[in-house]
Amino acid sequence: MATIVSESKTNGYTITIHLEGIQTNGSKGDLPVTNGLLKTDTTKDRQSTNGYTKDDLYSPVNNPPPTRLATKCHPLADEICAELDGFFAQHWPWENEHARQKFLAADVNRWACWALPLARNDRILDAVKVNTLLFLLDDVAENMSVEEGKALYKRLIPIAKGKVLPNRADPYEWITYDVWASMRAVDEGLTENTFQGALLCVNAQVDAARNSCVSMSSLLKQRYKEGGVGFVAAAMCYAMDLHISPSAMLSISDISESYSRLGIIVNDIYSYAKELRAWNRHRKEGAQILNMVLLQMQETGVTLEASKRLLWVLCREWELQHFELVAARQAAVEGCEDVLRVYMEGLEYVLGGNEKWSSYTQRYHERD
């Protein structure tokens, strides 16, 4: 006895009919019947017409897709972090001991060690300190009304410029004065560029324009100013002693813009929960959350986790585009100065380091 299998495909399905009991010489044998029917199997074709199988159906995964960005930590990171953790723990005017311990647990000083691994050994300390200072001032302003924040920065800006001497009884003032003065003593020009980036950042945080960000493009423009990406790029130049002409910087304006988008989107994904907690705690007059995660939720109606997943995909697409822009600039017929190559490499480390630190810091993954 033999088994003859007949198959046909219709609309992506395979119909298989087993006829048992057929003699190999063609004569009719017994046809086994189950409940009066021939044995018949219907199965879905493994490859459907749209190119997907059942196993390929979308299933949400909250972990971000792997990044191509390189990461490296500064070789003096442990030494620098130990010194500055002790400095800020002792001198910053913490609200209470819990706030002090949260700062230490968040490993804030290590952010710049991840972001600036190529910094000169004689410049990394001040580069880390000024970044941590802006982190802490941002936290202070976050808990203030818009008017209170404006008053704080109006007081600190001339001190940071070195135009006004600080009140040595006020840690906000003397720490601000000392770090900028120390940087100016090393490299006045690159420090001034860094200061202008910081000035753009702190002014934007209390800017009325925040209220008019109703689209992703307008939000990106505002977040570029207040998110500190320009400040960090300038601080990187200070830390690495990179002097780049305006014309050379203009030649990589598209790369600078790409870097900014990537830095902003990763920061917004990771910092949203922190921003939401602060807003719910204080609800200061004029304060609002300006974050791409929230905007995505409002514009598309998706959930919080879905918004983050969408932004991670966008981030990785922008990341691919960033590497294409860098490769094109490096291969440009007019050539590419060595200082620009180092600068672009430095930007990649800033982006990779920011994502690395943000993925684990208790600043964004709070544990009360």
Side-chain angles (χ1 to χ4, degrees):
M1 306 291 282
T3 299
I4 297 177
V5 179
S6 174
E7 293 188 345
S8 64
K9 292 186 178 182
T10 305
N11 295 328
Y13 289 86
T14 299
I15 300 176
T16 305
I17 301 176
H18 300 267
L19 298 180
E20 300 183 10
I22 302 297
Q23 303 260 355
T24 56
N25 60 7
S27 62
K28 182 178 179 181
D30 296 329
L31 295 177
V33 176
T34 303
N35 295 329
L37 298 174
L38 294 176
K39 294 169 64 177
T40 303
D41 293 332
T42 303
T43 59
K44 183 79 171 94
D45 188 359
R46 294 298 296 169
Q47 187 67 36
S48 64
T49 55
N50 64 3
Y52 291 92
T53 69
K54 186 175 181 180
D55 293 338
D56 292 326
L57 292 178
Y58 173 69
S59 180
V61 177
N62 290 332
N63 293 330
T67 180
R68 290 172 170 78
L69 296 167
T71 57
K72 181 190 296 186
C73 204
H74 195 278
L76 298 181
D78 289 344
E79 176 183 333
I80 295 296
C81 290
E83 179 174 344
L84 292 181
D85 281 354
F87 173 84
F88 284 107
Q90 178 181 352
H91 297 297
W92 193 254
W94 303 104
E95 183 179 0
N96 50 45
E97 182 60 25
H98 178 65
R100 187 200 314 271
Q101 293 304 321
K102 279 182 61 177
F103 164 77
L104 294 173
D107 204 19
V108 175
N109 286 302
R110 199 170 296 270
W111 180 88
C113 295
W114 279 112
L116 307 174
L118 304 182
R120 287 175 46 151
N121 289 350
D122 59 347
R123 297 193 181 194
I124 184 63
L125 180 67
D126 279 342
V128 174
K129 185 183 286 188
V130 76
N131 273 279
T132 298
L133 174 64
L134 259 66
F135 267 123
L136 293 174
L137 289 175
D138 179 60
D139 287 345
V140 172
E142 187 176 60
N143 297 327
M144 292 179 167
S145 68
V146 171
E147 291 306 314
E148 289 170 336
K150 286 181 178 179
L152 173 67
Y153 289 132
K154 184 178 181 180
R155 174 162 60 95
L156 293 180
I157 286 171
I159 293 172
K161 286 181 177 179
K163 304 296 185 183
V164 175
L165 292 176
N167 174 3
R168 287 287 166 181
D170 185 333
Y172 294 155
E173 293 192 9
W174 71 260
I175 292 175
T176 296
Y177 179 89
D178 285 0
V179 68
W180 288 108
S182 178
M183 291 172 65
R184 282 194 178 90
V186 173
D187 193 316
E188 187 171 359
L190 292 180
T191 298
E192 181 59 23
N193 292 343
T194 307
F195 176 76
Q196 290 302 319
L199 192 61
L200 178 68
C201 176
V202 298
N203 282 334
Q205 291 172 3
V206 292
D207 190 347
R210 299 179 96 251
N211 298 319
S212 60
C213 296
V214 295
S215 67
M216 184 170 288
S217 60
S218 62
L219 185 146
L220 280 170
K221 290 177 182 177
Q222 180 64 21
R223 291 288 290 119
Y224 168 78
K225 294 186 291 184
E226 69 178 58
V229 287
F231 158 74
V232 173
M236 180 191 76
C237 287
Y238 167 84
M240 295 170 60
D241 193 17
L242 299 179
H243 294 261
I244 305 175
S245 68
S247 60
M249 288 298 294
L250 184 62
S251 76
I252 57 168
S253 59
D254 54 350
I255 293 170
S256 297
E257 182 179 350
S258 172
Y259 148 79
S260 300
R261 287 198 305 263
L262 282 168
I264 289 166
I265 194 171
V266 170
N267 178 264
D268 279 15
I269 292 170
Y270 278 117
S271 68
Y272 177 71
K274 173 183 177 293
E275 294 171 33
L276 182 61
R277 283 193 300 269
W279 187 80
N280 282 329
R281 277 196 305 264
H282 302 285
R283 301 287 182 97
K284 293 289 186 177
E285 181 181 356
Q288 68 176 90
I289 299 176
L290 196 65
N291 187 289
M292 292 179 70
V293 173
L294 179 61
L295 181 65
Q296 182 81 268
M297 293 166 65
Q298 293 170 337
E299 286 194 338
T300 62
V302 297
T303 65
L304 169 61
E305 293 303 326
S307 176
K308 290 181 179 180
R309 290 193 296 268
L310 288 169
L311 290 176
W312 274 124
V313 173
L314 180 59
C315 178
R316 294 308 182 230
E317 290 294 334
W318 280 348
E319 189 178 295
L320 288 172
Q321 185 181 59
H322 181 80
F323 281 111
E324 290 171 359
L325 291 171
V326 170
R329 182 63 187 87
Q330 290 174 336
V333 293
E334 66 270 23
C336 183
E337 301 175 55
D338 288 342
V339 69
L340 283 183
R341 293 179 185 275
V342 175
Y343 178 81
M344 291 186 291
E345 180 186 15
L347 290 184
E348 180 181 350
Y349 280 125
V350 170
L351 294 171
N354 176 56
E355 183 171 336
K356 174 74 173 180
W357 179 84
S358 298
S359 70
Y360 73 80
T361 175
Q362 289 187 36
R363 180 178 176 84
Y364 300 146
H365 306 273
E366 187 173 353
R367 302 168 190 169
D368 287 326

